[in-house]
Amino acid sequence: MARRTRTTRSSRTTKTLPDPPDLPSSYEVATGPPETGDLWDGVGAGPDLVLPEHVADLRLHECRFSGVDLAGRTLSGLHCRDTEFHRCDLSGAVLDDAVFTRVTFTDCRFTGAELNGAGLNDVRISGCRADLARFRMAKGTFLHVEDTSLRGADLYRFTAQDCAFLRCDLGEASFEDARLTGTDLHGSTVDDLRGPLALRGCRIGPDQLVPVGALLLAALGVEITDRR
């Protein structure tokens, strides 16, 4: 099947967005569920794909999953490259230590999903629900999350490089001990974010100045009282 030729990074201007997946012009139709150790290359799967409860060491290269039910599945050792997920349900899925490179998630559900220790490189998450998802000790490089609810998500010790959370609901999300220097938070709800000291070096908009300031003052133990 035809493949697109990727432009080398050296021939580009300064990179500001995740690299998109390098996708084929057509896909082979999935004929059955994946098994442990499988490599799926250039495969397209839809709602009729039924995954087993546990699949180990699955590799997805240049694939497209649309409407696939991954809820509650455990995919240990998952490696995804140049792959897109569209309207998939990953609620409660266990994807600890997974590696995603040039992957997009659009209109997907991640509610309660486990991505602890995951590597997210050139990943775009758009229009999704990831409430209560866990990204503990995960690492993101050019991870852009847009128009997504991360309410109550756990990003303990999350490490970000050139990342963005744009127009996201970060209410009650925990960023304790996270490293977010250079992360763009424009348009996101940050009023009751937990671990506000992790926002050192982030970029915010003028409309976020008051809520972020209040969070930082509270974290530093500064009290605002009437004049004695």
Side-chain angles (χ1 to χ4, degrees):
M1 61 186 67
R3 307 283 181 177
R4 290 193 295 113
T5 301
R6 174 167 296 280
T7 303
T8 59
R9 186 171 300 179
S10 60
S11 66
R12 298 178 175 182
T13 57
T14 302
K15 178 176 173 176
T16 59
L17 296 172
D19 287 338
D22 208 2
L23 299 172
S25 57
S26 60
Y27 298 91
E28 298 177 2
V29 178
T31 57
E35 298 180 354
T36 291
D38 274 359
L39 166 62
W40 280 22
D41 191 351
V43 175
D48 55 341
L49 177 66
V50 179
L51 272 75
E53 293 297 317
H54 181 213
V55 181
D57 302 324
L58 174 63
R59 291 170 292 164
L60 301 176
H61 294 174
E62 302 185 24
C63 294
R64 187 176 196 271
F65 277 29
S66 181
V68 176
D69 184 3
L70 299 162
R73 272 47 170 204
T74 297
L75 303 177
S76 55
L78 175 66
H79 279 65
C80 289
R81 174 176 61 76
D82 295 308
T83 292
E84 60 180 3
F85 295 84
H86 180 251
R87 293 188 176 179
C88 293
D89 189 355
L90 298 100
S91 301
V94 179
L95 309 171
D96 291 341
D97 300 316
V99 177
F100 300 96
T101 304
R102 295 186 300 276
V103 174
T104 61
F105 296 91
T106 307
D107 295 332
C108 294
R109 295 183 63 87
F110 286 93
T111 305
E114 303 271 350
L115 292 99
N116 302 309
L120 302 116
N121 310 300
D122 288 301
V123 171
R124 185 188 294 272
I125 300 174
S126 179
C128 298
R129 293 203 65 90
D131 302 325
L132 303 176
R134 292 162 64 90
F135 296 84
R136 294 172 66 88
M137 293 175 283
K139 295 182 179 180
T141 303
F142 284 102
L143 164 68
H144 280 216
V145 186
E146 303 165 347
D147 303 302
T148 291
S149 177
L150 286 152
R151 193 159 192 86
D154 186 353
L155 291 95
Y156 169 74
R157 297 189 69 180
F158 180 84
T159 301
Q161 180 179 343
D162 297 305
C163 293
F165 294 86
L166 306 175
R167 302 175 303 279
C168 293
D169 184 355
L170 301 178
E172 299 183 359
S174 175
F175 286 89
E176 295 288 347
D177 294 330
R179 289 184 287 177
L180 304 176
T181 300
T183 297
D184 192 339
L185 299 177
H186 282 76
S188 291
T189 303
V190 295
D191 302 64
D192 51 357
L193 176 149
R194 299 175 182 176
L197 294 181
L199 301 183
R200 181 191 300 271
C202 286
R203 292 186 293 268
I204 63 172
D207 58 318
Q208 296 168 302
L209 181 60
V210 171
V212 169
L215 287 172
L216 292 175
L217 289 174
L220 294 171
V222 176
E223 297 183 13
I224 301 175
T225 64
D226 292 332
R227 185 174 180 178
R228 291 182 181 275

